[in-house]
Amino acid sequence: MSRAKIASHRGHPGARRGKSGIVPKGRQVDANAMTAIQQLLGGRSRQRDLLIEHLHRIQDRFGHLSAPHLAALAEEMRLAQTEVYEVATFYAHFDVIKEGAAPPPPLTVRVCDSIACELAGSHALLSALTEHCGAQVRVVGAPCMGRCDTAPIAETGHYFVDHASVASVLAAVQERRTDPQVPEYISFDQYVGDGGYTLLHACLSGEQEPDEVMAALEQAQFRGLGGAGFPTGRKWRIVRGKPAPRLLAVNADEGEPGTFKDRYYLEHDPHRFIEGMLIAMWAVDAERCYLYLRDEYPAIREILLQELTRVESEGLARSGSIDLRRGAGAYICGEESAMIESIEGKRGLPRNRPPYVAEIGLFNRPTLVNNVETLYWVRDIVEKGPAWFSAAGRNGRNGWRSFSVSGRVREPGVKLAPAGITVRELIEEYCGGMQAGHVFKAYLPGGASGGILPALLGDVPLDFGTLEQYGCLIGSAAIVVFGDQDNMRDVALNLMRFFQRESCGQCTPCRVGTEKAAQLMTDPRWDRALLSDLSETMADASICGLGQAAGNPIQCVLKYFPEDIDG
């Protein structure tokens, strides 16, 4: 019996009495909306974890999510409307339109307002575009888009305008450029021609054993490169030791302001990553892989859809064993348990630990979580040997690191350099020095959450464990360089506003703390004691790394740049 028929029964709690008799409670499903949703979903599964994927289909088709469509989707998926609504309103890339409200204009222009783009003039660009674009175009500010090396960035639909100016963005608007630009990359045939997938074949044929591969990663002292730096080989062993069935979840939700290394590798050499991913699946005997890609990377999505199909057709992966999932604009989903919640079709709220995801992760199964760059290195480490990797490094550190460098340098970009290099060496040897007219003043060693260090500490080795004594973290190795014309008070405020916007709201210290901190930081004179106490409270009491690290920029400015506060 359908819900409508059940609700129509006299006395049922889901019904109320109207002038014409018993009518169902709540918003009713519009027949036209239901037909549209059924046609849009077609023969696709209605399983619960596909909710976000189906919301994307509606958003892509209609440009927004209307109340009738959300009600119809809830009915079609056998979910409560509140379940659908809470998910749809959680993610920034879904435009949920209240009943009776006008939908947004047909085209949205997003202007990145994160720190690298702010340095490049994004605030003025946003203001000018708001004035020049007509009523048929919506102009909004947006968090980091992962293209900090070509700042400032604007996006028209899914088309990115690098080094954006008013003229270049207006030209993209007038020409209705909304499709992603897919760059040239190393194809499957090119990759195989260069020896690619030889290692995977050896693994699948039994020439390599899982213990051998994990031992190579351990001997290389290879650590995860998503931010936490947990030893990769040890993590694989832990997951393999858990009861089957096991899963792999790949974190490609690179949302840390200043970070774009994963985008670079996926756009240029995707199969090196894919091979590492398939080797990880084999090593831990994962039944299925869920690849969670941030929505700001539409070109990469097209690349992966095509190349994963080719990999399956070549027999390198079981058909349907790799599930590409699309994020929806939530920085918090870079946290592994929040990502898992999102893959399950829910709001990206971090889980309390224990249990850890290696034991109870995706769909309550033991889950290996690795980020893109971690898997990208697997082939090279195993084929070239642990000694090759560990031989790299400076200042007593070992291995290679991919640094995303932006800000006041002549040549920003992804810089493959020895772990332990200093930021001063990185600027001079890999970035062509500082931009003309700028003297090195400060830097972010690990993106927005990594803190801010002065040039006086520009000779500290950049690696795990070297920055903590200064109140900072290497994280994902996102280096943003500042010059003598930049005020660190303004930098810290930009970062705090990012944390405020991206807080998931689950825990009070982070939800209230980031909002209060951003408010206090706009005062002409900082209340130093209150801001310091607030930062410590967020660090001590927040559930996940977002709130725990949100106060790092404040503490660093208080400690290293008092003149910028008083000035």
Side-chain angles (χ1 to χ4, degrees), residues 212-549:
E212 293 179 83
V213 172
M214 289 186 281
L217 299 178
E218 290 168 335
Q219 291 165 21
Q221 302 178 52
F222 183 54
R223 301 173 67 168
L225 298 172
F230 193 87
T232 302
R234 195 166 96 199
K235 179 185 277 192
W236 288 20
R237 287 192 189 278
I238 290 171
V239 175
R240 186 175 176 85
K242 299 299 179 182
R246 294 174 284 273
L247 299 173
L248 169 64
V250 178
N251 190 341
D253 193 63
E254 181 182 50
E256 180 77 18
T259 310
F260 47 92
K261 60 186 176 62
D262 291 352
R263 174 185 63 81
Y264 176 84
Y265 288 128
L266 288 172
E267 285 185 346
H268 290 82
D269 196 0
H271 285 283
R272 193 173 299 269
F273 152 73
I274 293 172
E275 183 170 12
M277 178 180 70
L278 295 175
I279 291 171
M281 283 186 71
W282 162 82
V284 303
D285 192 21
E287 178 182 86
R288 193 175 180 85
C289 171
Y290 290 82
L291 173 48
Y292 189 85
L293 179 67
R294 72 181 305 208
D295 200 32
E296 289 85 350
Y297 292 168
I300 295 173
R301 179 175 173 79
E302 292 195 13
I303 291 171
L304 290 175
L305 285 171
Q306 177 174 317
E307 299 307 316
L308 290 173
T309 299
R310 177 69 185 275
V311 165
E312 289 185 357
S313 71
E314 295 287 339
L316 296 173
R318 191 178 71 256
S319 179
S321 62
I322 304 171
D323 198 333
L324 179 59
R325 293 297 179 90
R326 183 176 169 188
Y331 166 72
I332 191 64
C333 290
E335 196 277 338
E336 62 178 9
S337 66
M339 177 189 69
I340 283 173
E341 290 287 300
S342 188
I343 293 172
E344 292 179 355
K346 297 178 284 188
R347 293 177 295 166
L349 302 180
R351 298 176 179 177
N352 287 310
R353 299 182 181 88
Y356 294 94
V357 299
E359 181 181 2
I360 300 177
L362 189 56
F363 307 120
N364 293 320
R365 297 180 180 181
T367 303
L368 172 65
V369 177
N370 280 141
N371 90 308
V372 169
E373 192 195 355
T374 303
L375 298 173
Y376 181 90
W377 280 105
V378 168
R379 174 193 166 189
D380 281 338
I381 292 173
V382 177
E383 286 188 342
K384 297 179 181 179
W388 164 81
F389 184 83
S390 57
R394 292 187 186 179
N395 300 308
R397 316 307 294 182
N398 75 284
W400 297 96
R401 289 301 301 263
S402 302
F403 296 93
S404 305
V405 187
S406 61
R408 305 297 191 184
V409 294
R410 290 182 184 271
E411 301 169 9
V414 174
K415 311 297 180 180
L416 180 59
I421 193 173
T422 70
V423 71
R424 206 179 299 276
E425 292 169 334
L426 197 62
I427 293 170
E428 294 303 321
E429 297 177 31
Y430 290 82
C431 301
M434 295 292 292
Q435 289 178 358
H438 294 273
V439 177
F440 178 38
K441 174 181 178 178
Y443 65 106
L444 305 185
S449 58
I452 312 172
L453 288 178
L456 183 66
L457 295 174
D459 295 318
V460 176
L462 296 171
D463 198 15
F464 296 113
T466 62
L467 298 162
E468 284 78 358
Q469 62 182 309
Y470 305 106
C472 293
L473 303 165
I474 185 68
S476 60
I479 312 295
V480 184
V481 178
F482 304 103
D484 55 336
Q485 300 174 40
D486 300 317
N487 187 294
M488 295 305 105
R489 171 194 175 117
D490 297 336
V491 170
L493 178 58
N494 177 287
L495 303 180
M496 185 56 66
R497 284 172 171 162
F498 170 80
F499 290 128
Q500 176 189 357
R501 177 165 53 189
E502 295 298 326
S503 173
C504 74
Q506 180 178 196
C507 68
T508 302
C510 178
R511 181 184 68 251
V512 177
T514 54
E515 180 181 4
K516 183 64 175 177
Q519 177 187 341
L520 291 171
M521 293 165 74
T522 61
D523 290 344
R525 295 189 63 83
W526 277 15
D527 186 330
R528 301 183 186 212
L530 182 56
L531 280 169
S532 181
D533 287 347
L534 186 56
S535 298
E536 291 176 5
T537 298
M538 287 191 288
D540 292 341
S542 295
I543 289 175
C544 80
L546 191 156
Q548 292 165 8

Side-chain angles (χ1 to χ4, degrees), residues 132-205:
H132 286 87
C133 288
Q136 295 302 301
V137 178
R138 176 178 58 167
V139 181
V140 297
C144 187
M145 299 178 184
R147 308 180 74 87
C148 314
D149 51 333
T150 55
I153 295 298
E155 182 186 21
T156 61
H158 290 304
Y159 178 87
F160 288 99
V161 183
D162 294 332
H163 302 296
S165 65
V166 174
S168 62
V169 175
L170 290 179
V173 169
Q174 292 166 0
E175 296 168 17
R176 279 298 188 264
R177 296 185 213 156
T178 58
D179 294 330
Q181 315 100 296
V182 178
E184 291 187 9
Y185 61 90
I186 297 173
S187 68
F188 178 87
D189 292 329
Q190 291 173 308
Y191 183 71
V192 170
D194 191 36
Y197 291 114
T198 301
L199 177 59
L200 179 61
H201 279 296
C203 293
L204 297 177
S205 67

